Amino acid sequence: MRKIKKGDDVVVITGKDKGRRGKVLRVLVEDRLVVEGINVVKKHQKPNPQKGVTGGIIEKEMALQRSNVMLWNPVTKKGDRVGIRVLEDGKRVRFYKSNGEAVDA
């Protein structure tokens, strides 16, 4: 089970976007993820009339290391570490380490 999933609200803890929050758009291989509005770069794009793509300079979100973000805890209003707990029925749930509340509840 992954500790950070698509749709989670995260906060960046290091790098040029430190302190900014965003929603996880995609989880890539192993330890990379794309966060909405974070790590935005300008990319020069060639036009491709066959695909209907216009050329020019576009802004695009690039991938971040998973270790550079923390899950946002709405109760404490801070980034929080996440653990995985197995319930009595065998279901695995994520929980915040600071207060023990379930993430997916």
Side-chain angles (χ1 to χ4, degrees):
M1 176 180 232
R2 298 274 181 217
K3 292 183 179 179
I4 298 178
K5 298 180 179 180
K6 178 180 175 179
D8 284 344
D9 199 22
V10 295
V11 61
V12 180
I13 58 173
T14 186
K16 67 177 185 176
D17 291 319
K18 181 178 180 176
R20 295 184 59 198
R21 285 176 42 199
K23 187 169 277 203
V24 176
L25 298 176
R26 288 192 315 270
V27 177
L28 305 174
V29 291
E30 290 300 312
D31 62 341
R32 313 262 321 157
L33 43 93
V34 178
V35 181
E36 181 181 18
I38 305 294
N39 199 20
V40 177
V41 298
K42 290 182 187 279
K43 183 179 185 304
H44 294 261
Q45 182 171 334
K46 263 185 155 176
N48 189 346
Q50 292 177 343
K51 293 183 180 176
V53 176
T54 59
I57 300 173
I58 62 166
E59 289 194 346
K60 178 180 179 181
E61 290 112 353
M62 297 300 280
L64 286 169
Q65 284 270 331
R66 186 184 305 261
S67 62
N68 293 343
V69 299
M70 290 181 93
L71 208 58
W72 178 257
N73 189 342
V75 176
T76 61
K77 304 280 192 267
K78 293 185 204 172
D80 208 343
R81 294 184 299 152
V82 178
I84 296 172
R85 184 180 292 151
V86 180
L87 301 177
E88 296 82 30
D89 60 352
K91 187 176 176 186
R92 297 169 60 154
V93 294
R94 299 179 296 163
F95 70 98
Y96 295 114
K97 292 268 189 160
S98 64
N99 55 6
E101 289 186 21
V103 175
D104 304 318

